Amino acid sequence: SKGEKEIIKFGENFDDLMEVSLYDINNNLLPQKSGNNVAYIKSGDIKNYIYNVSNKTGQQEIAINAEKLLNDLYALEPNNEEIYIQKANIFSKRDQHAEAVETLKVALQFTDEAAEIYSMIGMEYLFMDNLEKAKENFIRCLSEDDDDYSSLYNVVYCFDFLDQNKEAIIYLNSFIDKNPYSEVAWHQLGRQYFIIKDYEKAVWAFDYATLIDETFLGAYLEKAKALEKLKEGLRSENKAYIYHCYNHYMCPIGFEDTP
């Protein structure tokens, strides 16, 4: 039950003992474990946990109690990046996003997983509607971990929100140069070409996305939209497409639908 407690040792003396219950970030009591001590916390298991002094009465009290315990942990383990991450989470829940950013910047000094922290900083800047700073940090995250597709989507979101579609195309092309089999990057590149009405290149990018992942339904649907836009242009008396083929140009005067 939530009234159960476990003892975490912070020192050799009885006066150094503190009774706490362990809860995850959704406020569910974690399974009780024996022998939890400073070494357990050092190992990184503090990650994604909130430590709640027993007999909580509400979210505000939880945050206060958690912060107090994190301060106690800091006195013992000032170089543990997880302490700063959890302090930043508390600041974020209080809508103190600037303080969260500064705390996460300190965590960067002690971590071997900078990608995760850059992503968290990016999210804090999103909460503050600072899309430029958010974009910068998501890009830093991807430079550390190019498999973080959540950050890739967030980068493109920032480009979109800032109406920087051409800049997005430049970034995505450079990302694809390093990660040519990223179907997500090809799909997002196609979206950017579609937005600036370069439908031919949109189809080209969506083609690569579906070649890499034949089950990528979203890419197929957006490719169909781009093809429809191309056909609208061919039907129109006010539009023309010019194709550059090696050493000559050609201008199509019609089209034929094929299955």
Side-chain angles (χ1 to χ4, degrees):
S1 70
K2 290 196 175 183
E4 293 178 359
K5 305 172 184 176
E6 66 178 312
I7 294 176
I8 295 178
K9 292 184 178 181
F10 292 99
E12 297 299 326
N13 299 323
F14 182 82
D15 291 339
D16 292 328
L17 298 180
M18 179 182 293
E19 288 186 339
V20 298
S21 296
L22 288 172
Y23 293 82
D24 66 17
I25 56 175
N26 294 316
N27 204 32
N28 298 314
L29 185 67
L30 296 171
Q32 298 297 307
K33 300 178 182 178
S34 61
N36 286 326
N37 52 31
V38 175
Y40 169 78
I41 295 166
K42 286 182 184 177
S43 71
D45 287 335
I46 189 175
K47 187 175 183 178
N48 295 326
Y49 295 170
I50 287 181
Y51 289 80
N52 174 28
V53 176
S54 58
N55 300 321
K56 67 185 185 312
T57 58
Q59 291 298 322
Q60 185 174 3
E61 182 177 339
I62 291 172
I64 293 170
N65 290 332
E67 187 173 25
K68 180 181 183 300
L69 183 52
L70 288 170
N71 288 335
D72 292 336
L73 292 173
Y74 171 79
L76 293 162
E77 193 66 27
N79 296 336
N80 188 331
E81 75 272 17
E82 298 299 344
I83 294 173
Y84 298 98
I85 290 172
Q86 294 306 320
K87 286 175 73 72
N89 284 337
I90 292 172
F91 281 130
S92 185
K93 289 178 182 296
R94 293 173 176 167
D95 293 329
Q96 295 174 305
H97 302 296
E99 290 85 349
V101 166
E102 293 306 312
T103 305
L104 289 168
K105 286 179 180 179
V106 177
L108 282 171
Q109 302 173 29
F110 306 113
T111 187
D112 294 324
E113 299 179 1
E116 178 185 0
I117 296 179
Y118 280 130
S119 179
M120 294 176 70
I121 293 173
M123 290 304 302
E124 295 302 323
Y125 278 122
L126 278 184
F127 293 139
M128 292 189 282
D129 293 326
N130 190 334
L131 277 296
E132 280 290 353
K133 286 289 187 181
K135 180 183 70 177
E136 290 174 12
N137 281 279
F138 289 129
I139 288 174
R140 287 174 184 149
C141 169
L142 288 165
S143 70
E144 298 281 341
D145 179 9
D146 51 23
D147 289 328
D148 190 334
Y149 284 162
S150 176
S151 287
L152 183 57
Y153 281 117
N154 283 329
V155 167
V156 175
Y157 169 81
C158 292
F159 278 122
D160 283 343
F161 195 89
L162 294 166
D163 292 324
Q164 296 176 347
N165 304 109
K166 291 182 179 179
E167 291 86 345
I169 288 170
I170 293 170
Y171 174 75
L172 288 167
N173 273 307
S174 67
F175 185 89
I176 288 168
D177 285 343
K178 299 175 184 177
N179 307 276
Y181 298 106
S182 172
E183 71 278 13
V184 173
W186 280 109
H187 176 239
Q188 293 301 314
L189 180 61
R191 286 188 58 256
Q192 297 304 313
Y193 281 128
F194 188 93
I195 290 171
I196 65 171
K197 300 182 180 181
D198 191 337
Y199 303 121
E200 184 182 1
K201 285 187 178 179
V203 170
W204 166 73
F206 292 138
D207 268 340
Y208 272 102
T210 55
L211 282 170
I212 296 166
D213 181 358
E214 295 179 352
T215 66
F216 200 157
L217 180 59
Y220 284 115
L221 292 173
E222 302 215 44
K223 177 184 174 181
K225 293 178 184 177
L227 286 171
E228 191 59 39
K229 289 292 185 181
L230 283 173
K231 289 198 291 185
E232 286 178 10
L234 290 170
R235 292 190 189 103
S236 173
E237 296 179 356
N238 301 316
K239 292 182 181 179
Y241 294 109
I242 298 176
Y243 291 93
H244 180 209
C245 300
Y246 298 105
N247 61 349
H248 66 280
Y249 294 86
M250 65 179 183
C251 181
I253 57 175
F255 70 95
E256 179 181 355
D257 276 327
T258 57

